[in-house]
Amino acid sequence: MAENNQISDSQNSNSVSENCGNGGNGARRLKIGLVLFFLSVAVSVAGGWLWYKSKTELVTDDAFISGHVHVVSARVDGHVNAVAIVDNQRVEAGDLLVELDAAPYRAKVHECEAALALARNDVDAERADVAAARAAVGRAQAQARQSEIDLQRAERLFANEVIARERLDQVHTAATVTRQALIQAQQNLQRTLAKLGQLGKSGQTARVAQRAAELESARLHLDYTRIFAPVAGYVTRRSVEVGSNIEAGQALLALVQLNQPWIIANYKESQLTYLDVGQRVEFSVDSYPGRVFSGRVDSIMAGTGAAFSLLPPENATGNYVKVVQRIPVKIVIDPISDPEHVLRVGMSVEPTVYTGRSFSEILSASH
């Protein structure tokens, strides 16, 4: 009897343990199911969010910072006497950069000043010649008028048989000589006026004007021996040194302006469907991780980058492989996002353009 009771007790304990074990496995399976459910929901939400971002945000890593780079060159030949700047120095507009040897150009100015003074003295002498030529014309005109009067009187006297034919011929000859003398005097006056340069309306002689222009040119060349900064910026690519001999047009250095940079982002042609001017842009650079800069789309280039390359591709061949083209997009940077001017020309950036499309627009476009 006692043994039967023990057997029944052991069976009861085994059934209780089995029931507990079954309950524990069910709870574990429930927890795993809940975890899988929430994971699937999270993955679905994340996937939907990423899909939505891909439709409203245009991202590219093919983008770089550009800016105004002013190449400073010499306007005259010369020997470098002084270089007032160093690499990466900030200069203001009007600051002296390079100074050339001004002695040859200063001597040229003195030479032109002397030539102008001589030209003015020559003009004074030629003006006296003009006055004398005018007086000669006046004298010849008076003689010609008198000869005409004498000729008319002689013809009347000859008609009345008062004088002989020989006397009339002598008066005719004298009148002809005076007329030719008048023509010669007038031509001499025109020649002296042309030499003086007073035939024009201004009244200033061409020779004096030429010497004055040469003097002005010499003074300009003298001023060009001092090279100043055209804009405010940072000195880069300095190649000039003291003692160098440079030529006109030779590049000496470059000035980079950092107060108005912009971004050239090369977007794929398939990304331009909803990209438009004025859209908001955010971007980051590798040099400042975690910092976000802002800007806006300024313009879209009127062609692909390959179309304006030095050697554009030739597609009219037998073997053609379609390649997705990229179109440069200019993005201007908000000055308030970079007050310290930390962005440098040539930096790689990753811009994100926010198209502003709504969820309903995306769904309608998908259908």
Side-chain angles (χ1 to χ4, degrees):
M1 191 68 179
E3 293 178 357
N4 291 332
N5 292 332
Q6 291 177 355
I7 292 173
S8 61
D9 293 337
S10 64
Q11 290 177 350
N12 292 331
S13 62
N14 289 333
S15 63
V16 171
S17 62
E18 289 177 358
N19 292 332
C20 292
N22 291 333
N25 291 333
R28 189 179 300 110
R29 284 195 297 269
L30 180 60
K31 291 180 179 179
I32 293 173
L34 291 175
V35 170
L36 292 177
F37 172 75
F38 284 115
L39 283 176
S40 63
V41 172
V43 170
S44 300
V45 172
W49 176 247
L50 292 177
W51 174 82
Y52 177 74
K53 285 175 64 68
S54 67
K55 298 298 182 180
T56 59
E57 300 176 5
L58 304 177
V59 184
T60 183
D61 57 358
D62 188 1
F64 306 90
I65 294 179
S66 298
H68 295 287
V69 179
H70 302 267
V71 178
V72 180
S73 59
R75 304 181 71 170
V76 293
D77 304 339
H79 181 80
V80 179
N81 277 353
V83 179
I85 42 87
V86 295
D87 291 327
N88 304 318
Q89 176 184 342
R90 174 170 175 80
V91 296
E92 299 296 333
D95 288 352
L96 179 64
L97 302 178
V98 180
E99 187 172 3
L100 306 180
D101 184 11
Y105 297 98
R106 193 175 294 110
K108 184 65 176 179
V109 169
H110 295 330
E111 178 183 350
C112 292
E113 288 175 346
L116 178 59
L118 290 175
R120 286 172 176 168
N121 291 335
D122 292 340
V123 167
D124 292 338
E126 291 171 357
R127 284 174 179 167
D129 294 340
V130 169
R134 284 174 175 166
V137 169
R139 183 171 58 254
Q141 289 175 344
Q143 292 175 353
R145 287 194 298 269
Q146 183 61 42
S147 65
E148 289 294 332
I149 295 173
D150 293 341
L151 178 60
Q152 293 175 2
R153 183 183 299 112
E155 288 177 346
R156 287 195 300 270
L157 292 175
F158 177 76
N160 296 326
E161 298 180 354
V162 175
I163 61 174
R165 180 73 183 184
E166 181 181 0
R167 177 58 183 166
L168 179 62
D169 292 339
Q170 292 176 351
V171 174
H172 268 289
T173 302
T176 302
V177 170
T178 55
R179 283 196 295 268
Q180 294 298 323
L182 175 60
I183 294 173
Q184 183 178 0
Q186 291 174 342
Q187 291 176 347
N188 184 42
L189 175 61
Q190 294 296 323
R191 184 168 54 254
T192 53
L193 286 175
K195 185 177 179 181
L196 182 61
Q198 288 185 340
L199 291 177
K201 296 180 179 180
S202 63
Q204 185 180 14
T205 66
R207 187 179 306 155
V208 172
Q210 179 184 4
R211 297 305 181 189
E214 292 175 354
L215 176 60
E216 183 64 22
S217 177
R219 287 172 176 171
L220 284 176
H221 288 173
L222 178 61
D223 293 337
Y224 293 157
T225 59
R226 292 168 60 85
I227 303 173
F228 300 93
V231 295
Y234 292 85
V235 177
T236 58
R237 298 207 309 259
R238 183 177 69 91
S239 60
V240 61
E241 297 291 345
V242 175
S244 302
N245 291 318
I246 62 176
E247 298 179 354
Q250 178 179 342
L252 306 179
L253 53 96
L255 292 178
V256 180
Q257 288 183 288
L258 297 180
N259 57 341
Q260 294 178 339
W262 65 87
I263 297 172
I264 298 298
N266 300 302
Y267 279 94
K268 297 179 181 179
E269 53 186 332
S270 58
Q271 295 178 292
L272 298 183
T273 306
Y274 300 103
L275 193 148
D276 201 359
V277 175
Q279 292 175 343
R280 183 171 60 91
V281 180
E282 290 183 352
F283 65 94
S284 60
V285 295
D286 296 337
S287 301
Y288 305 98
R291 182 171 179 177
V292 178
F293 301 87
S294 61
R296 61 178 176 82
V297 177
D298 179 75
S299 59
I300 302 173
M301 189 174 178
T304 64
F308 294 96
S309 61
L310 183 61
L311 297 174
E314 178 57 56
N315 297 327
T317 59
N319 299 324
Y320 171 70
V321 178
K322 182 178 180 180
V323 178
V324 177
Q325 300 295 318
R326 291 182 177 268
I327 298 179
V329 176
K330 182 179 179 180
I331 300 172
V332 294
I333 302 173
D334 292 336
I336 58 175
S337 66
D338 183 26
E340 308 92 351
H341 305 309
V342 297
L343 299 177
R344 293 294 188 267
V345 174
M347 279 185 171
S348 299
V349 301
E350 294 185 7
T352 300
V353 178
Y354 296 93
T355 60
R357 299 174 64 198
S358 63
F359 187 74
S360 60
E361 291 175 349
I362 296 173
L363 290 180
S364 61
S366 300
H367 292 305

